[in-house]
Amino acid sequence: MIVPQPFHMMRQGLACTAIVLLAAACGPAASEPTESPASSSQGCASDSSAPGRDVRVTLQDVTRSALLHVPESLDPEQPSPLVLVFHGFGGSPVGIEVGTGMSEQADEAGFIAVYPQGTGFSPQWDLVGMNDTDFVDALLDQLEAELCFDLRRVYATGFSMGGGMANIVGCRMAGRIAAIAPVSGIYLPDDAESCMPSRPLPVIGFHGVVDDVLPYEGGPAPGQYPEIIGVETWAGAWAARNNCDAESQPQAAISDAVEPLFWTGCPAPIELYPIANRGHTWPGSPLDASSETEDDISATALMWDFFTRHPLPEA
């Protein structure tokens, strides 16, 4: 089970102990593209051999890394979608890979999964400065030269602090990121004013209503970001940016615990999935099977379905 932790110690609950159980080793705004990218990357015409699992990028004399999962079934000459998956505070690429089941989803659906590594002794993401946004931009540049992926179908998701990073990537890189899907994310008050995407961006979010690490209603939160905004406030702000209808529309309940909220009337809709019986977790996580209640939804499956419906607009 993913156990909520104080923010300064927070892990996505997917690090060494849980991974060992699954026999895995533990070991100012960014510049926006002015036009939508072409449908495929340069790597589609490359004769280079298949990339390994570890990708390294050097930016301003600092080497950063990411874990790469390319399904064996993919045609190396046909552009595939790509999903960036950001780990939580103190987490790891391997941990978030195992805990989300994203690589299994990639094998089933036919897309590339990329798990970037944060920085620091307890790896984390820069939600205020530009360091990590620049890293993601450089990472995509390198992958574009080496892999065959569809530049109109690049997506971002993440858990907890990684969900906050997916949100920031959406704010700053909307010319390159087709849609985002934060899970149990941290959303800062400054986001409402500083988030200025270059176009309407489709967003799907997931959050436990009883999350006691990053409360659904917002307010004080322990750690370096002492205050967060409520999840519905965050989703409503995205709806306003996209010129959606001001009021959310409750959707048919998926279960007793999940009644989605949709903001529509716009080209880039906002979907929010509050989970009444969940805390700080990734809904449907394979490591959360021991929870007191059965999983009502799979965030991984639902976000992939959402992603398939929202590529970047044609140039």
Side-chain angles (χ1 to χ4, degrees), residues 108-119:
E108 178 182 336
F111 64 86
I112 299 164
V114 181
Y115 306 90
Q117 173 71 62
T119 59

Side-chain angles (χ1 to χ4, degrees), residues 33-241:
T34 56
E35 298 180 0
S36 298
S39 61
S40 62
S41 67
Q42 295 173 354
C44 294
S46 173
D47 294 328
S48 61
S49 60
R53 283 272 285 169
D54 188 54
V55 179
R56 295 190 178 275
V57 176
T58 300
L59 184 66
Q60 298 178 347
D61 297 325
V62 176
T63 300
R64 302 282 299 272
S65 65
L67 193 67
L68 180 66
H69 178 80
V70 181
E72 294 181 359
S73 61
L74 293 185
D75 184 339
E77 296 183 357
Q78 293 297 319
S80 303
L82 184 147
V83 179
L84 296 162
V85 188
F86 298 100
H87 63 72
F89 180 91
S92 70
V94 172
I96 197 69
E97 178 186 35
V98 173
T100 61
M102 192 65 71
S103 289
E104 288 79 1
Q105 183 73 46
D107 289 338
E108 178 182 336
F111 64 86
I112 299 164
V114 181
Y115 306 90
Q117 173 71 62
T119 59
F121 180 75
S122 294
Q124 56 190 286
W125 303 103
D126 182 0
L127 302 183
V128 178
M130 297 300 302
N131 289 339
D132 287 334
T133 310
D134 289 345
F135 164 54
V136 173
D137 209 31
L139 174 62
L140 288 176
D141 284 344
Q142 180 161 321
L143 292 173
E144 183 179 338
E146 298 177 358
L147 289 174
C148 185
F149 68 90
D150 190 336
L151 301 186
R152 292 185 56 235
R153 294 187 292 167
V154 177
Y155 307 97
T157 183
F159 174 72
S160 193
M161 195 182 207
M165 184 60 193
N167 181 61
I168 294 300
V169 164
C171 291
R172 298 177 179 175
M173 299 177 62
R176 198 165 195 179
I177 302 297
I180 61 171
V183 180
S184 299
I186 178 170
Y187 311 119
L188 308 180
D190 289 346
D191 289 353
E193 296 180 1
S194 64
C195 183
M196 295 181 289
S198 60
R199 66 174 183 90
L201 184 78
V203 177
I204 182 172
F206 306 84
H207 211 104
V209 174
V210 293
D211 190 331
D212 61 356
V213 175
L214 298 174
Y216 185 84
E217 298 296 335
Q224 64 188 29
Y225 304 114
E227 184 177 356
I228 59 176
I229 60 175
V231 178
E232 291 186 25
T233 299
W234 162 79
W238 270 109
R241 293 182 198 109

Side-chain angles (χ1 to χ4, degrees), residues 225-305:
Y225 304 114
E227 184 177 356
I228 59 176
I229 60 175
V231 178
E232 291 186 25
T233 299
W234 162 79
W238 270 109
R241 293 182 198 109
N242 291 356
N243 292 317
C244 300
D245 296 336
E247 299 296 326
S248 62
Q249 299 298 319
Q251 304 298 298
I254 297 177
S255 70
D256 291 341
V258 184
E259 185 175 297
L261 298 174
F262 288 8
W263 285 260
T264 58
C266 50
I270 308 299
E271 298 185 6
L272 177 61
Y273 288 79
I275 303 97
N277 60 358
R278 277 294 188 273
H280 197 63
T281 189
W282 184 287
S285 166
L287 297 187
D288 198 24
S290 61
S291 177
E292 294 179 1
T293 58
E294 293 184 1
D295 288 313
D296 298 293
I297 60 173
S298 166
T300 300
L302 278 170
M303 73 174 64
W304 174 246
D305 178 70

